[in-house]
Amino acid sequence: MERRDIVGYKFYDGYYADLLARRVLRNDVPLTQSLTGKEFDVLLYFLQNPRKVIERAKILPLHTEGWRDRHPADDYVSKIKKKLGLARRECLSLVRGVGYELNADVHPVFAFDQDRVGLLYYASLKHFDQHTVASMRIALRQALRSEE
């Protein structure tokens, strides 16, 4: 993996879309009902285009030819919102007659940053768990170094 490879996206209210495992977590807990592959692709498309109104026909992961009554985007967005536990006008909003908009700040998570922080965190946790003054000082130094 490259230093700047995106491995996930943090968004809205404690949500994290893990690109490697292709799952969504809320506050570090997986959703009770997982997104299907296509639902994850649609959510990912919105995460890559936050705060932009996207026409139903231009939501790339969807095959939009041959639909009759209800556009496939409406079904997918409805299912995604239900599985994420979002209310009607929360996060993914309908723009009448046009399409949808993801109304949330989205923060990409890069592989390099995740690995670096993870290693320092576990090292400092090891020292902190020893409950000695010296080990807590080491843990504090390591934690402060990770913020540099």
Side-chain angles (χ1 to χ4, degrees):
M1 269 191 236
E2 296 279 326
R3 176 186 168 136
R4 301 308 294 175
D5 282 344
I6 296 174
V7 295
Y9 290 95
K10 291 181 182 179
F11 66 102
Y12 196 53
D13 188 25
Y15 287 97
Y16 176 70
D18 182 344
L19 301 183
L20 302 176
R22 293 188 55 82
R23 65 181 182 165
V24 178
L25 300 106
R26 183 166 191 198
N27 299 322
D28 299 323
V29 177
L31 300 177
T32 53
Q33 200 174 7
S34 298
L35 298 180
T36 65
K38 185 69 82 173
E39 291 167 350
F40 189 86
D41 291 341
V42 171
L43 176 62
L44 179 58
Y45 187 76
F46 281 107
L47 292 172
Q48 293 169 338
N49 296 283
R51 301 196 183 279
K52 295 179 187 172
V53 176
I54 302 172
E55 295 176 39
R56 286 175 175 91
K58 294 193 177 173
I59 299 173
L60 292 181
L62 297 177
H63 178 68
T64 58
E65 295 176 19
W67 59 278
R68 295 185 184 202
D69 298 326
R70 186 174 156 118
H71 196 282
D74 298 330
D75 290 331
Y76 277 97
V77 169
S78 175
K79 290 175 185 177
I80 291 166
K81 288 180 67 135
K82 182 178 179 183
K83 289 180 179 182
L84 294 179
L86 300 173
R88 187 172 181 213
R89 294 195 170 126
E90 195 176 14
C91 194
L92 267 169
S93 303
L94 172 67
V95 178
R96 244 184 218 288
V98 181
Y100 291 90
E101 177 181 16
L102 178 71
N103 294 312
D105 291 329
V106 177
H107 305 282
V109 176
F110 298 97
F112 175 78
D113 298 331
Q114 190 176 42
D115 292 343
R116 181 172 179 259
V117 170
L119 291 173
L120 287 171
Y121 169 76
Y122 287 116
S124 65
L125 190 62
K126 178 183 172 225
H127 290 289
F128 188 79
D129 284 345
Q130 292 177 9
H131 301 288
T132 66
V133 173
S135 66
M136 288 185 191
R137 285 184 179 143
I138 292 170
L140 180 60
R141 277 196 303 271
Q142 287 177 341
L144 292 174
R145 191 173 24 159
S146 71
E147 294 177 6
E148 295 173 350

